Amino acid sequence: MNIVLYGPPGAGKGTQAIKIAEKYNFVHLSTGDIFRKNIKENTELGKLASSYMDHGELVPDEVTIKMLEDTANQYPDAKGIIFDGFPRTIAQAEALDAFLEREHGQKVDKTLSLEVENEELIRRLLERGKTSGRPDDADENIISNRIVEYNNKTAPLKNYYVQQGKFYKIEGVGGIDAIFERLAAEIE
Ligand code: AMP
């Protein structure tokens, strides 16, 4: 089963993806986490990624898609994959479909969209920035830019998945466990 967890920055994708992976024994693939690991290890990919992430911009598709495919290929026997923060552009969504079909004869089964109001997103990100150590959470200008990038490049994905009948809205406010229950109900 291949699930895409979709939603703006601060919607709770990371928190919920971890819980989904745990409960269903799925592989959790977060492109943001992989970029941050590369930044920590000071790899070439990390240096390139941080030059975009530090401004709240998306890392170019070509680089992101290759990294995602290389990582997914490390789990040929995965029972399921939860994609967190990928795809974020139409080109990435098309590449993911092509990759799943080519390598595994599979498809994206569902896209679960965590729905949260803009004001609440900014509030959550600034709060998270106090402890996350993420430079892109600590600065309101960078946060705004991430939301602009989301609206310009990622929001169009909704239609892409709606047209395929795969798009499911999940109310993303309330307690972590309550939100998780809603996601689990949709997965099951
Ligand atoms: P996240 O951890 O998902 O909030 O991602 C943090 C940052 O990593 C984003 O603001 C982007 O700069 C970069 N990033 C993560 N995933 C992607 C992606 N699928 N495409 C492009 N950039 C990404």
Side-chain angles (χ1 to χ4, degrees):
M1 194 167 196
N2 297 297
I3 305 276
V4 170
L5 203 51
Y6 175 85
K13 299 187 296 294
T15 305
Q16 295 295 339
I18 291 169
K19 289 174 73 74
I20 292 169
E22 221 168 60
K23 172 156 182 176
Y24 298 103
N25 209 5
F26 287 177
V27 171
H28 171 206
L29 287 188
S30 156
T31 39
D33 284 353
I34 306 169
F35 284 136
R36 280 184 289 276
K37 182 165 182 281
N38 276 277
I39 291 172
K40 214 165 143 194
E41 292 168 357
N42 209 20
T43 68
E44 286 306 313
L45 175 63
K47 286 180 208 161
L48 179 87
S50 71
S51 69
Y52 294 93
M53 290 167 76
D54 290 351
H55 301 105
E57 290 165 14
L58 292 189
V59 179
D61 282 336
E62 211 186 59
V63 178
T64 306
I65 291 165
K66 177 163 189 324
M67 178 187 81
L68 187 276
E69 293 186 358
D70 289 347
T71 311
N73 278 335
Q74 293 168 19
Y75 304 96
D77 301 323
K79 179 176 153 217
I81 300 183
I82 176 97
F83 294 92
D84 159 14
F86 185 94
R88 263 179 156 102
T89 62
I90 298 276
Q92 291 180 15
E94 289 172 347
L96 178 60
D97 286 345
F99 169 78
L100 290 172
E101 173 62 40
R102 184 175 75 235
E103 302 289 326
H104 306 284
Q106 293 176 9
K107 55 187 172 46
V108 169
D109 294 285
K110 283 189 174 185
T111 295
L112 305 179
S113 171
L114 287 170
E115 308 274 323
V116 180
E117 296 284 331
N118 254 352
E119 270 172 35
E120 169 71 5
L121 294 173
I122 294 170
R123 197 192 59 75
R124 284 187 191 178
L125 288 169
L126 284 170
E127 190 58 34
R128 184 169 86 185
K130 291 180 189 162
T131 53
S132 69
R134 283 179 54 169
D136 60 344
D137 283 345
D139 179 316
E140 202 155 343
N141 289 324
I142 301 177
I143 291 176
S144 303
N145 212 25
R146 288 163 67 196
I147 294 175
V148 169
E149 284 279 83
Y150 177 82
N151 289 332
N152 288 340
K153 298 178 182 168
T154 309
L157 273 184
K158 175 179 175 181
N159 228 3
Y160 181 85
Y161 287 117
V162 166
Q163 280 170 0
Q164 298 178 27
K166 293 179 182 170
F167 192 84
Y168 298 83
K169 284 187 182 179
I170 307 286
E171 174 80 54
V173 287
I176 289 175
D177 288 333
I179 299 168
F180 179 63
E181 291 300 316
R182 291 174 210 144
L183 288 165
E186 207 54 80
I187 291 171
E188 284 164 23

